Structure formats: structure tokens, C-alpha cells
Amino acid sequence: MKFEVAIVEDIVLDQTSKYFGNAGEWNGVGTVAFKKVKGANYNSRGFAKPYFSNLSNFPLKNELIYIFALPSPDIQESNYQEIYYYITPINIWNSNHHNGIPNIFNNEDLPDSQKRDYKQTSLGAVRRVEDGSSNIDLGTTFQEKSNIKPVKKFEGDVVLEGRLGNSIRLGSTNQLNSKPLNKWSAEGFAGDPILILRNGQGDTGSVGFLPTEENINQDPSSIYLTTTQKIPFQAASTNYYSYKENKPTLPNLYTGKQILINSGRLILNSSEDHLMLSSTKTISLSSNTGLNFDTTQAVFQTENIYLGSKSATEPLVLGDALEAVMKELILIIKDISVSSATAANSGGPIPTLNQKAPSWINRLNAINTDVFKSKYNYTI
């Protein structure tokens, strides 16, 4: 199998591509139109399909690729039928953002706006965009961003990086002379695994070619899966005042196995069955502004409930028991009031009781003991 180098002139992503039909329509997604840049067939054009079927890393326009000939879909008809395939873009600038290269055929001098972007080192040309401009045609919608930084790598890391500040790090604790080399290695031992998924980079400066580390407090969205590490995570709320004892360790102080998810907003949704939260210790809900429950029924099955304060001492009233006592008390008072209406002293009436008793009876008859009971909330 012979590898050749070609530059991408276009790529088929959907029906808007001018080569959509030539590439086999939707069966040809990922096909590139290329132009060879080396060899006997220099300047010749053709098409190449992506080599991998389950991993898509399509190139941009003006990126270099390796192409090679392998059997075509018509191999059943002829063993000699071949087409070109390609693998991922050549990492010419060692950039996760893009590796586009201009003026590769006419060898004309670069314009001043691009000369500043290319510097010579002992290993060759290095692209370092510092002013936000490039003038390289990278495609229809892809926009170059001069501040997209590569992820800093440490010994033993396996890192998957997107073009726009998203990455997955299969890493570990990294220490040198017992000193941490990154934000997650202050605790634990060298080699303890960690997985960091990050979507978007925080404010890391405008110089794009300098590597950066993940920052759970600044990156737009992150998931950290730890083993022994301590993550300097700044939680939005650490109000644990409701705890009498065994208060949770602050998130930025905890060391051990945990999963941290941080973003501007979190939604956990179960579309077909239950959403279950289970914990060996407590489940802490801490918020700066409020805690809302919107549902048709809420059941709290527990031995003790404290409302208003963890130090609450006043017991809640039992509605049915209170109603029974109130009814009995009203009957007793009512009986006294009826007797007072006709009460006599030494054979004569008692005006102070006789006059007030009817109004007492009316007020007692008007008392509705149901008002003491909630229609929706229950206890035992």
C-alpha cells in the first residue's frame, strides 16, 4: 500500500456540497475532493473516502491528508477495482484547532498578514496566530479562532481533542518530588487514574498555541471522574446549616472517588421511569435562593422531621386527634352554656349568665373544627 500526500479542496457533508452526487449522495458523507501535492501525479485531482467506519475526524479545506488505494465497493465484480481512502489530517502545525496550509502550489510569498503567523525553528515552520487573522480558506462554516489552546499533556495521558476547546483526558495524578504538576494532583499517588471531560475552555488568554490545563471552575461544562484526587471545585452553595452532625466535607476539600459535574445549568430527566438518588450517607440539597417542589404528591417516610430549624422542638399537631378533642370540648362548653341560659340562684334567675348564654351558644354552633386540618398534608 502506497501513501501519497494530497490537499483537501472540498468535503462532502450534506446535499449542499457540489460533489454530493459524485460521492454517492448520503453514502458518500466524508468524501473529500483532493489535489495531490507530491509525486509523479503532482497536481492531479480525485476523490477519497474516510478509511475508518466508526471514527469520524474529517479534515478541513486546505489541510493535508494521506491517501492510499484500496479495494472499492465493486470488489465482488473485479479484484482490481480500487478507490482512494484517507486517514486523519497531517498534523503539520501540531494544532488541535486546524492544520490548514496556504499557497502550497504556487509557492508565492505569503502576504504580510500571514507572515507573522509563521516562524522558523530548528524543526521547521511553526504556525502561531496571535492577531486573530489567517485568511486561510478552511471551509464554508468553520471559523478559525486564534485563542483555541491545546490541552497540556502529562506522562501517560491519552487525550482526545476536538477543534474548538473540547476534550477527553484519560489521565492520572502527576507529581514531581511530591509536588503536584497540575490542579488535580495535590493528593493521591502518581498513577492514580482520572478522567476529565471538558466542553469549551475558560478564560485562558488570547495566545492560542500555548497549552492549557482544564479548569473546572472556568470551563463552560465539565465532568470529572476521580479516584484519589482532590479537585479545587468552587461549589455555587455550601450551605450545610441543616446538619446537626456528620456535615459533608466541602467539595474543594474532599479527597477520594467522586464524580463532579459542573455547568451553567444541569437537567436530570427520566422520560420513562423513575429518577432515583441513593446515598450511603445523606443527600444534601443546597441552594442560594430556594428549593421548589412541583408535583401532585409528596411522601416523606422518616422517623423525624424538623421544620424551620434543625433545633426545632415544638411537635406538629395531629389533625384528627385535635379535631376529636375540640369537638368534645365544644360539647362540654355548649352544655354549660345551655345550662347557663336558664340558671337560677335560690329560685331566681342569674341575669349575667342568662343574658350571655345565647350568644355563647351561637358562637359555639358556628365553630367548624375542619379548619384545623389540612386538605393536602398528612402526618402520623
Side-chain angles (χ1 to χ4, degrees), residues 22 27 46 48 62 114 151 157 177 183 189 193-194 197 215 227 229 244 250 257 263 291 298 304 310 323 350 366:
N22 304 72
N27 193 45
N62 283 308
Q114 291 183 6
V151 171
D157 282 352
N177 298 325
K183 295 179 177 66
F189 301 95
I194 187 171
L197 188 153
N215 188 319
T227 52
Q229 297 82 11
K244 290 185 175 181
L250 291 174
K257 297 177 290 185
S263 187
L291 186 63
N304 296 289
K310 61 185 176 185
E323 181 185 39
I350 305 176

mmCIF file of all heavy atoms in Angstrom, residues 22 27 46 48 62 114 151 157 177 183 189 193-194 197 215 227 229 244 250 257 263 291 298 304 310 323 350 366:
data_model
loop_
_atom_site.group_PDB
_atom_site.id
_atom_site.type_symbol
_atom_site.label_atom_id
_atom_site.label_comp_id
_atom_site.label_asym_id
_atom_site.label_seq_id
_atom_site.Cartn_x
_atom_site.Cartn_y
_atom_site.Cartn_z
ATOM 1 N N ASN A 22 -21.607 13.067 -6.988
ATOM 2 C CA ASN A 22 -20.426 12.300 -7.400
ATOM 3 C C ASN A 22 -19.960 11.340 -6.321
ATOM 4 O O ASN A 22 -19.423 10.263 -6.616
ATOM 5 C CB ASN A 22 -19.275 13.256 -7.743
ATOM 6 C CG ASN A 22 -19.646 14.270 -8.805
ATOM 7 O OD1 ASN A 22 -20.418 15.182 -8.529
ATOM 8 N ND2 ASN A 22 -19.113 14.127 -10.015
ATOM 9 N N ASN A 27 -24.435 8.236 1.099
ATOM 10 C CA ASN A 27 -23.469 7.169 1.321
ATOM 11 C C ASN A 27 -22.031 7.666 1.172
ATOM 12 O O ASN A 27 -21.082 6.954 1.504
ATOM 13 C CB ASN A 27 -23.712 6.025 0.331
ATOM 14 C CG ASN A 27 -22.955 4.773 0.700
ATOM 15 O OD1 ASN A 27 -22.942 4.365 1.853
ATOM 16 N ND2 ASN A 27 -22.306 4.163 -0.285
ATOM 17 N N GLY A 46 -8.771 14.057 -7.514
ATOM 18 C CA GLY A 46 -9.597 12.867 -7.345
ATOM 19 C C GLY A 46 -10.440 12.950 -6.090
ATOM 20 O O GLY A 46 -10.561 14.015 -5.454
ATOM 21 N N ALA A 48 -11.497 10.816 -2.313
ATOM 22 C CA ALA A 48 -11.081 9.811 -1.330
ATOM 23 C C ALA A 48 -12.133 9.709 -0.239
ATOM 24 O O ALA A 48 -12.691 10.714 0.204
ATOM 25 C CB ALA A 48 -9.727 10.166 -0.730
ATOM 26 N N ASN A 62 -7.965 22.780 2.719
ATOM 27 C CA ASN A 62 -6.570 23.211 2.796
ATOM 28 C C ASN A 62 -5.761 22.500 3.868
ATOM 29 O O ASN A 62 -4.672 22.949 4.233
ATOM 30 C CB ASN A 62 -6.458 24.724 2.964
ATOM 31 C CG ASN A 62 -6.704 25.463 1.662
ATOM 32 O OD1 ASN A 62 -6.098 25.158 0.656
ATOM 33 N ND2 ASN A 62 -7.612 26.419 1.690
ATOM 34 N N GLN A 114 -0.059 37.019 6.909
ATOM 35 C CA GLN A 114 0.219 35.628 7.258
ATOM 36 C C GLN A 114 1.676 35.401 7.639
ATOM 37 O O GLN A 114 1.998 34.444 8.342
ATOM 38 C CB GLN A 114 -0.157 34.704 6.098
ATOM 39 C CG GLN A 114 -1.666 34.632 5.861
ATOM 40 C CD GLN A 114 -2.004 33.652 4.755
ATOM 41 O OE1 GLN A 114 -1.148 32.952 4.251
ATOM 42 N NE2 GLN A 114 -3.270 33.606 4.386
ATOM 43 N N VAL A 151 -4.648 21.050 24.858
ATOM 44 C CA VAL A 151 -4.591 20.597 26.243
ATOM 45 C C VAL A 151 -3.157 20.194 26.584
ATOM 46 O O VAL A 151 -2.495 19.496 25.818
ATOM 47 C CB VAL A 151 -5.544 19.397 26.454
ATOM 48 C CG1 VAL A 151 -5.331 18.772 27.830
ATOM 49 C CG2 VAL A 151 -6.986 19.843 26.312
ATOM 50 N N ASP A 157 -0.684 10.201 29.666
ATOM 51 C CA ASP A 157 -2.022 10.641 29.265
ATOM 52 C C ASP A 157 -2.424 10.071 27.907
ATOM 53 O O ASP A 157 -1.599 9.912 27.004
ATOM 54 C CB ASP A 157 -2.072 12.169 29.164
ATOM 55 C CG ASP A 157 -2.174 12.844 30.522
ATOM 56 O OD1 ASP A 157 -2.357 12.122 31.513
ATOM 57 O OD2 ASP A 157 -2.072 14.075 30.572
ATOM 58 N N ASN A 177 8.762 15.087 42.710
ATOM 59 C CA ASN A 177 9.305 15.345 44.050
ATOM 60 C C ASN A 177 8.191 15.675 45.035
ATOM 61 O O ASN A 177 8.289 16.611 45.838
ATOM 62 C CB ASN A 177 10.334 16.485 44.006
ATOM 63 C CG ASN A 177 11.530 16.157 43.135
ATOM 64 O OD1 ASN A 177 11.956 15.010 43.072
ATOM 65 N ND2 ASN A 177 12.055 17.166 42.437
ATOM 66 N N LYS A 183 -3.670 20.808 38.556
ATOM 67 C CA LYS A 183 -4.661 21.191 39.570
ATOM 68 C C LYS A 183 -5.282 19.994 40.288
ATOM 69 O O LYS A 183 -5.926 20.176 41.323
ATOM 70 C CB LYS A 183 -5.760 22.039 38.921
ATOM 71 C CG LYS A 183 -5.283 23.384 38.390
ATOM 72 C CD LYS A 183 -6.428 24.150 37.744
ATOM 73 C CE LYS A 183 -5.986 25.528 37.283
ATOM 74 N NZ LYS A 183 -4.996 25.452 36.184
ATOM 75 N N PHE A 189 -1.493 9.439 44.709
ATOM 76 C CA PHE A 189 -0.173 8.959 44.327
ATOM 77 C C PHE A 189 -0.043 8.970 42.814
ATOM 78 O O PHE A 189 -1.034 8.845 42.087
ATOM 79 C CB PHE A 189 0.053 7.542 44.867
ATOM 80 C CG PHE A 189 -0.051 7.450 46.364
ATOM 81 C CD1 PHE A 189 -1.255 7.089 46.961
ATOM 82 C CD2 PHE A 189 1.044 7.726 47.166
ATOM 83 C CE1 PHE A 189 -1.360 7.006 48.336
ATOM 84 C CE2 PHE A 189 0.945 7.649 48.545
ATOM 85 C CZ PHE A 189 -0.259 7.287 49.136
ATOM 86 N N PRO A 193 -5.688 6.992 38.514
ATOM 87 C CA PRO A 193 -6.372 7.444 37.291
ATOM 88 C C PRO A 193 -7.405 8.540 37.536
ATOM 89 O O PRO A 193 -7.996 8.649 38.611
ATOM 90 C CB PRO A 193 -7.048 6.166 36.786
ATOM 91 C CG PRO A 193 -7.272 5.353 38.017
ATOM 92 C CD PRO A 193 -6.101 5.639 38.903
ATOM 93 N N ILE A 194 -7.596 9.355 36.509
ATOM 94 C CA ILE A 194 -8.631 10.384 36.494
ATOM 95 C C ILE A 194 -9.121 10.528 35.064
ATOM 96 O O ILE A 194 -8.345 10.344 34.108
ATOM 97 C CB ILE A 194 -8.114 11.735 37.034
ATOM 98 C CG1 ILE A 194 -9.259 12.738 37.176
ATOM 99 C CG2 ILE A 194 -7.018 12.295 36.152
ATOM 100 C CD1 ILE A 194 -8.873 14.026 37.897
ATOM 101 N N LEU A 197 -13.701 15.170 31.230
ATOM 102 C CA LEU A 197 -14.403 15.525 30.001
ATOM 103 C C LEU A 197 -14.737 17.008 30.074
ATOM 104 O O LEU A 197 -15.374 17.451 31.024
ATOM 105 C CB LEU A 197 -15.675 14.681 29.850
ATOM 106 C CG LEU A 197 -16.431 14.784 28.525
ATOM 107 C CD1 LEU A 197 -17.197 13.486 28.264
ATOM 108 C CD2 LEU A 197 -17.421 15.946 28.524
ATOM 109 N N ASN A 215 -9.902 23.531 33.746
ATOM 110 C CA ASN A 215 -10.216 24.292 34.962
ATOM 111 C C ASN A 215 -11.709 24.137 35.222
ATOM 112 O O ASN A 215 -12.531 24.720 34.521
ATOM 113 C CB ASN A 215 -9.848 25.765 34.796
ATOM 114 C CG ASN A 215 -9.973 26.548 36.091
ATOM 115 O OD1 ASN A 215 -10.909 26.365 36.863
ATOM 116 N ND2 ASN A 215 -9.020 27.433 36.341
ATOM 117 N N THR A 227 -10.354 9.255 41.463
ATOM 118 C CA THR A 227 -10.096 8.110 42.347
ATOM 119 C C THR A 227 -9.574 8.596 43.697
ATOM 120 O O THR A 227 -10.203 8.386 44.724
ATOM 121 C CB THR A 227 -9.074 7.141 41.708
ATOM 122 O OG1 THR A 227 -7.912 7.874 41.303
ATOM 123 C CG2 THR A 227 -9.681 6.438 40.505
ATOM 124 N N GLN A 229 -7.942 11.894 43.844
ATOM 125 C CA GLN A 229 -7.590 13.300 43.675
ATOM 126 C C GLN A 229 -8.495 14.233 44.483
ATOM 127 O O GLN A 229 -9.619 13.871 44.847
ATOM 128 C CB GLN A 229 -7.688 13.694 42.190
ATOM 129 C CG GLN A 229 -6.719 12.960 41.282
ATOM 130 C CD GLN A 229 -7.198 11.579 40.876
ATOM 131 O OE1 GLN A 229 -8.344 11.209 41.100
ATOM 132 N NE2 GLN A 229 -6.311 10.797 40.284
ATOM 133 N N LYS A 244 -26.996 18.565 61.916
ATOM 134 C CA LYS A 244 -26.642 18.554 63.329
ATOM 135 C C LYS A 244 -25.242 17.986 63.529
ATOM 136 O O LYS A 244 -24.499 18.412 64.404
ATOM 137 C CB LYS A 244 -27.653 17.719 64.118
ATOM 138 C CG LYS A 244 -29.035 18.342 64.230
ATOM 139 C CD LYS A 244 -29.913 17.485 65.132
ATOM 140 C CE LYS A 244 -31.264 18.128 65.378
ATOM 141 N NZ LYS A 244 -32.120 17.324 66.276
ATOM 142 N N LEU A 250 -16.502 19.850 52.488
ATOM 143 C CA LEU A 250 -16.617 20.837 51.423
ATOM 144 C C LEU A 250 -16.066 20.268 50.123
ATOM 145 O O LEU A 250 -15.063 19.537 50.127
ATOM 146 C CB LEU A 250 -15.857 22.105 51.796
ATOM 147 C CG LEU A 250 -16.442 22.929 52.947
ATOM 148 C CD1 LEU A 250 -15.498 24.082 53.302
ATOM 149 C CD2 LEU A 250 -17.814 23.456 52.590
ATOM 150 N N LYS A 257 -12.882 8.938 45.657
ATOM 151 C CA LYS A 257 -13.689 8.614 44.481
ATOM 152 C C LYS A 257 -14.932 9.498 44.440
ATOM 153 O O LYS A 257 -15.726 9.492 45.379
ATOM 154 C CB LYS A 257 -14.090 7.144 44.508
ATOM 155 C CG LYS A 257 -12.921 6.171 44.434
ATOM 156 C CD LYS A 257 -13.384 4.736 44.548
ATOM 157 C CE LYS A 257 -13.869 4.422 45.951
ATOM 158 N NZ LYS A 257 -14.223 3.002 46.122
ATOM 159 N N SER A 263 -21.634 22.984 35.294
ATOM 160 C CA SER A 263 -22.020 23.727 34.098
ATOM 161 C C SER A 263 -22.926 24.863 34.514
ATOM 162 O O SER A 263 -23.264 25.016 35.696
ATOM 163 C CB SER A 263 -22.728 22.806 33.103
ATOM 164 O OG SER A 263 -22.965 23.489 31.880
ATOM 165 N N LEU A 291 -35.702 26.223 47.220
ATOM 166 C CA LEU A 291 -35.887 24.818 46.869
ATOM 167 C C LEU A 291 -37.362 24.620 46.557
ATOM 168 O O LEU A 291 -38.216 24.826 47.426
ATOM 169 C CB LEU A 291 -35.449 23.916 48.031
ATOM 170 C CG LEU A 291 -35.439 22.409 47.770
ATOM 171 C CD1 LEU A 291 -34.438 22.056 46.689
ATOM 172 C CD2 LEU A 291 -35.114 21.648 49.059
ATOM 173 N N ALA A 298 -46.332 14.362 47.450
ATOM 174 C CA ALA A 298 -45.006 14.251 48.053
ATOM 175 C C ALA A 298 -45.116 13.397 49.308
ATOM 176 O O ALA A 298 -45.947 13.663 50.181
ATOM 177 C CB ALA A 298 -44.442 15.628 48.393
ATOM 178 N N ASN A 304 -38.137 11.209 61.920
ATOM 179 C CA ASN A 304 -38.196 12.558 62.475
ATOM 180 C C ASN A 304 -38.135 13.592 61.353
ATOM 181 O O ASN A 304 -37.361 13.450 60.406
ATOM 182 C CB ASN A 304 -37.028 12.808 63.434
ATOM 183 C CG ASN A 304 -37.079 11.897 64.644
ATOM 184 O OD1 ASN A 304 -37.934 12.055 65.508
ATOM 185 N ND2 ASN A 304 -36.161 10.952 64.708
ATOM 186 N N LYS A 310 -32.953 22.861 62.458
ATOM 187 C CA LYS A 310 -32.510 21.555 62.936
ATOM 188 C C LYS A 310 -32.696 21.434 64.444
ATOM 189 O O LYS A 310 -32.652 20.326 64.994
ATOM 190 C CB LYS A 310 -31.042 21.345 62.575
ATOM 191 C CG LYS A 310 -30.102 22.372 63.201
ATOM 192 C CD LYS A 310 -28.696 22.193 62.713
ATOM 193 C CE LYS A 310 -27.767 23.285 63.270
ATOM 194 N NZ LYS A 310 -26.406 23.187 62.709
ATOM 195 N N GLU A 323 -59.067 17.443 66.274
ATOM 196 C CA GLU A 323 -60.484 17.644 65.956
ATOM 197 C C GLU A 323 -61.374 16.921 66.960
ATOM 198 O O GLU A 323 -62.396 17.470 67.428
ATOM 199 C CB GLU A 323 -60.772 17.141 64.545
ATOM 200 C CG GLU A 323 -62.226 17.347 64.125
ATOM 201 C CD GLU A 323 -62.527 16.732 62.785
ATOM 202 O OE1 GLU A 323 -62.017 15.630 62.498
ATOM 203 O OE2 GLU A 323 -63.291 17.341 62.020
ATOM 204 N N ILE A 350 -80.264 34.248 87.052
ATOM 205 C CA ILE A 350 -78.946 34.887 87.178
ATOM 206 C C ILE A 350 -78.735 35.704 85.903
ATOM 207 O O ILE A 350 -78.329 35.174 84.863
ATOM 208 C CB ILE A 350 -77.818 33.849 87.333
ATOM 209 C CG1 ILE A 350 -78.106 32.914 88.519
ATOM 210 C CG2 ILE A 350 -76.454 34.534 87.522
ATOM 211 C CD1 ILE A 350 -77.115 31.814 88.702
ATOM 212 N N ALA A 366 -71.232 27.916 65.529
ATOM 213 C CA ALA A 366 -70.594 28.387 64.299
ATOM 214 C C ALA A 366 -69.175 27.852 64.126
ATOM 215 O O ALA A 366 -68.590 27.960 63.042
ATOM 216 C CB ALA A 366 -70.576 29.912 64.276
#
